[in-house]
Each structure stands twice: as structure tokens, then as C-alpha cells.
Amino acid sequence: MKPYIREKKSFDFSEVPKNTSFEAGYLVTVNSGWRSIRPVINQDKCVGCEQCYLYCPDGVISIKNKKAEIDYDFCKGCGICAGICRVGAIETEAERK
Ligand code: SF4
Ligand code: SF4
């Protein structure tokens, strides 16, 4: 196998940690200063499907009590989470600095 191809290992979805990269110790530099748009989760619409959590490239979304939460200290405002949410629970607004 080529060295850059990771060995495939199956895992159960329940084994995936539900915390953020910061909580796991992987993010240490606050990068929210990059953000020009802010994703806002409508908790009433959120069905806890975890798609935003899985797709957030920086791992700043956590699932708590079956609802998604964003760590705004580390969210860079890419908007991927808003695009992936099928029930439209994440809207973006202009960041006010
Ligand atoms: S993708 Fe939408 S519905 Fe699913 S957990 Fe995220 S905010 Fe909630
Ligand atoms: S805007 Fe980007 S970095 Fe911020 S929570 Fe959504 S996917 Fe993650």
C-alpha cells in the first residue's frame, strides 16, 4: 500500500466523539477573526442529524442533547454547515465586529 493511503478501519458511528476539535485538544489558536459571515443554528429546527458536525472542516460543531452547537471562538465562517443542513436549521448572517 502507498504510504499516504491510510489503512481502512471500520468503526461504529457511536465511537465518534461528539465534542469539538478544541475540546479534544487539536485547535489552540482562535481563528474567529477571519469570519465575515456567522452561521446561526435554529435549535427548534435542528433534528440532531450530525451532518454539520461531520462536514465542518475545522471540527467546531458539537452535538449536545441531540442539538448542534457552534464554538464561535474557532468557527471561520466558511458556511459549509449551512449548505449541508437539509432542514435549513443553519442560516448565515453578516458578522458584526
Ligand atoms: S445538519 Fe442541521 S439538523 Fe443536522 S445537526 Fe446540523 S443543524 Fe441540526
Ligand atoms: S461556518 Fe464553517 S467553520 Fe464555522 S461551523 Fe460552519 S462549517 Fe464549521
Side-chain angles (χ1 to χ4, degrees):
M1 182 192 305
K2 294 180 180 174
Y4 53 82
I5 298 176
R6 291 186 187 160
E7 189 176 332
K8 285 187 181 171
K9 175 180 173 286
S10 61
F11 58 87
D12 189 275
F13 196 54
S14 63
E15 294 175 49
V16 179
K18 298 293 187 288
N19 56 2
T20 65
S21 295
F22 171 69
E23 290 167 334
Y26 293 120
L27 275 177
V28 291
T29 305
V30 172
N31 57 7
S32 57
W34 301 356
R35 195 169 57 230
S36 58
I37 62 161
R38 164 182 284 247
V40 178
I41 298 176
N42 181 330
Q43 297 287 335
D44 292 333
K45 281 188 180 177
C46 175
V47 296
C49 67
E50 304 185 2
Q51 292 302 299
C52 58
Y53 160 79
L54 290 170
Y55 277 88
C56 173
D58 286 359
V60 304
I61 298 178
S62 57
I63 304 294
K64 300 206 168 97
N65 298 319
K66 299 192 175 175
K67 299 285 183 180
E69 289 182 12
I70 296 172
D71 181 345
Y72 287 109
D73 281 346
F74 297 98
C75 166
K76 63 188 177 191
C78 65
I80 289 174
C81 54
I84 208 72
C85 179
R86 291 192 177 187
V87 298
I90 305 179
E91 294 193 349
T92 54
E93 61 183 37
E95 181 70 41
R96 295 181 192 90
K97 303 246 166 130

